[in-house]
Amino acid sequence: MTKGDQNIQTTAMGGRAIGRRDFLRGAIGSGVLAAMSMAWLSGCAPSQASASEARDGGSYDVIVVGAGGAGMTAATSAHDGGARVILLEKMAVAGGNTCFAEGGMNACCTKLQKEEGIEDSVDLFASDTFKGGHDLGNMDLIRYLCENSNAAIERLAERGMNLTKISTSGGASVPRIHRPEDGSAVGKYLVKHMCEQCAQRGVDAVTHMGVQEILIGDDGSIADVRALDDRSGHLVDYHAPAIVIAAGGFGANHEMLAQYRPELREAVTTNQPGAQGDGILLGQAAGGDVVDIEQIQVHPTVEQSTSILLSEGIRGDGAILVNADGNRFTDELLTRDVVSAAEWAQPGGWAFAVFDRKVYDENKSIKEKFEEKNLALSSDTLEGLCELMGVDAANFAATMEAYNGAIADDVDDPFGRWKSRYPIDEAPFYAIKVAPGIHHTMGGLRIDTEARVLDASGDPIPGLFAAGEVTGGIHGGNRLGGNAICDINVFGHRAAESVLEFLGR
């Protein structure tokens, strides 16, 4: 195919190769898929053909399983290091859960922080991450994440992805969540550019190709993967001495979730339906160990009829939470698990996120994901907003007076909030009804700081690497908002570096 050709390729083995336009579709299509909850993509695959009928998909230096943020980062960096790379994606488009990331990317000691006079450090970032994860995270992995976060921000900028706006997220001691300047959701922004980067490099990629098995050679080394083309039903064998598993977590697999949190069996999820945990199972079948597999995160601000996430950045920019009685009930910028628990304890188990024009103007997703779908209430007065919300007028008035008054008088917030306290005083005013929803699985394959998958004895499995939500050990018992985007960029790149070292490049 010539560089200018934008037609869809069909490979010899029957899978769908991604051309430049198709890579972009991974980003462009994500908004449509989100609106449809992507339910139409979750049908059953055809029955497998016999192994003897497997087709040859070609030979590469490295196979990356999963074309989400971690996978595309690994593929780009490995390609730039001289490796022949193929991305295998079981879904119809690239992006994975990264498409739905809203807030931003945590990083410390960045140029932007220094320009704004924000004092941060690796130690403080690592401490926040460890504490936010209930002291369960692997400190070696956490420190590696934090130490390399600024390099990841700079690498993104070199690749045309500029996160030049800074804000606050729950559990962070200082502002360190970096976001697109124009207020776009960080995931959609990054996926679009990552797809472009892969397409520009000519990285081979095939959608509708779900990896079923990692094949081990007679000498115990990685040899192949066997994948299923979910449209033709054909098995395809791809050959490579190294594999990066970047297939995401299991936040859309309610049966798997219920093994550890039975109360979540019927909960809504912000995850795309491909988040089934199959990458974890692949790694386990190849001898990989798992860690923190029972740790599952619930996000406090999810619109329940659509499963659309209301970004934590919106609270970071000044929104508050008000219950069905018109009362605030928590510091909105505590960690996600704490805010979720407080919300569940309210009448009906839900709340309204309340904010004003200032927050609206800073977050494009409010208009695109909520207002245009008639999910946001708005009024030119707080009294009018209260009437639309249907909450107690006296309570709501007292709530807003107490919140704004404490800011005006420079006194402590009634609920202890000390970060991102901005008066809600510029019309129009907005409210969006939210409740907790399944958001992230912290557990997965055990890795070391070289992104090598470890076995039960703690030894690396030669040629097997992993990055992103498919791994465990970094986030402990609770992931801080902004750390997932940091994770996929830091460890996606680290996996590529380790692959290149393994290949002797």
Side-chain angles (χ1 to χ4, degrees), residues 77-100:
S77 295
H79 175 275
D80 289 356
R84 292 169 300 146
V85 185
I86 188 167
L87 274 162
L88 300 180
E89 170 58 51
K90 71 179 184 180
M91 303 303 284
V93 294
N97 266 357
T98 308
C99 287
F100 301 96

Side-chain angles (χ1 to χ4, degrees), residues 239-298:
H239 319 287
I243 296 170
V244 177
I245 302 176
F250 57 97
N253 187 334
H254 280 75
E255 293 303 314
M256 192 170 177
L257 290 162
Q259 293 179 35
Y260 311 106
R261 297 277 299 277
E263 74 276 15
L264 298 180
R265 186 181 295 275
E266 303 301 326
V268 302
T269 180
T270 65
N271 289 245
Q272 55 94 16
Q276 296 291 322
D278 37 5
I280 297 171
L281 300 178
L282 277 174
Q284 285 184 291
D289 193 20
V290 295
V291 60
D292 296 335
I293 196 69
E294 72 284 357
Q295 302 297 335
I296 298 161
Q297 182 175 74
V298 175

Side-chain angles (χ1 to χ4, degrees), residues 189-212:
Y189 172 84
L190 290 180
V191 167
K192 177 181 182 294
H193 286 282
M194 287 178 175
C195 288
E196 289 175 344
Q197 291 289 315
C198 287
Q200 289 168 7
R201 287 165 169 77
V203 172
D204 286 343
V206 186
T207 56
H208 294 281
M209 193 61 71
V211 175
Q212 307 290 300

Side-chain angles (χ1 to χ4, degrees), residues 104-127:
M105 173 177 164
N106 280 338
C108 67
C109 310
T110 67
K111 179 182 178 181
L112 184 57
Q113 285 182 313
K114 292 173 184 176
E115 289 175 348
E116 299 201 7
I118 298 166
E119 295 186 9
D120 202 357
S121 68
V122 169
D123 287 344
L124 184 59
F125 186 8
S127 175

Side-chain angles (χ1 to χ4, degrees), residues 98-348:
T98 308
C99 287
F100 301 96
E102 290 283 344
M105 173 177 164
N106 280 338
C108 67
C109 310
T110 67
K111 179 182 178 181
L112 184 57
Q113 285 182 313
K114 292 173 184 176
E115 289 175 348
E116 299 201 7
I118 298 166
E119 295 186 9
D120 202 357
S121 68
V122 169
D123 287 344
L124 184 59
F125 186 8
S127 175
D128 285 347
T129 299
F130 186 69
K131 180 180 178 182
H134 307 316
D135 300 350
L136 293 177
N138 179 315
M139 188 53 77
D140 289 339
L141 295 176
I142 291 172
R143 287 200 65 85
Y144 189 88
L145 177 83
C146 301
E147 288 168 354
N148 290 277
S149 61
N150 179 49
I153 285 281
E154 292 180 350
R155 186 167 51 252
L156 285 171
E158 291 170 0
R159 294 175 178 174
M161 292 167 270
N162 298 292
L163 304 181
T164 55
K165 178 182 173 184
I166 200 162
S167 185
T168 302
S169 61
S173 295
V174 298
R176 67 167 68 98
I177 192 166
H178 294 65
R179 303 160 63 188
E181 181 64 35
D182 66 358
S184 295
V186 70
K188 184 177 179 180
Y189 172 84
L190 290 180
V191 167
K192 177 181 182 294
H193 286 282
M194 287 178 175
C195 288
E196 289 175 344
Q197 291 289 315
C198 287
Q200 289 168 7
R201 287 165 169 77
V203 172
D204 286 343
V206 186
T207 56
H208 294 281
M209 193 61 71
V211 175
Q212 307 290 300
E213 185 180 3
I214 295 173
L215 304 179
I216 309 297
D218 293 337
D219 62 354
S221 63
I222 298 293
D224 308 290
V225 301
R226 179 159 291 155
L228 177 68
D229 179 343
D230 73 3
R231 296 170 306 164
S232 69
H234 291 301
L235 290 172
V236 186
D237 285 351
Y238 295 89
H239 319 287
I243 296 170
V244 177
I245 302 176
F250 57 97
N253 187 334
H254 280 75
E255 293 303 314
M256 192 170 177
L257 290 162
Q259 293 179 35
Y260 311 106
R261 297 277 299 277
E263 74 276 15
L264 298 180
R265 186 181 295 275
E266 303 301 326
V268 302
T269 180
T270 65
N271 289 245
Q272 55 94 16
Q276 296 291 322
D278 37 5
I280 297 171
L281 300 178
L282 277 174
Q284 285 184 291
D289 193 20
V290 295
V291 60
D292 296 335
I293 196 69
E294 72 284 357
Q295 302 297 335
I296 298 161
Q297 182 175 74
V298 175
H299 195 289
T301 52
V302 179
E303 201 286 319
Q304 298 291 291
S305 68
T306 60
S307 299
I308 296 175
L309 179 74
L310 184 72
S311 169
E312 187 163 326
I314 290 168
R315 281 176 285 140
D317 284 342
I320 63 172
L321 295 175
V322 174
N323 69 14
D325 293 329
N327 298 318
R328 276 182 76 207
F329 52 90
T330 187
D331 171 358
E332 292 83 1
L333 290 176
L334 296 175
T335 56
R336 291 171 173 177
D337 57 332
V338 174
V339 178
S340 292
E343 198 168 72
W344 266 327
Q346 303 311 303

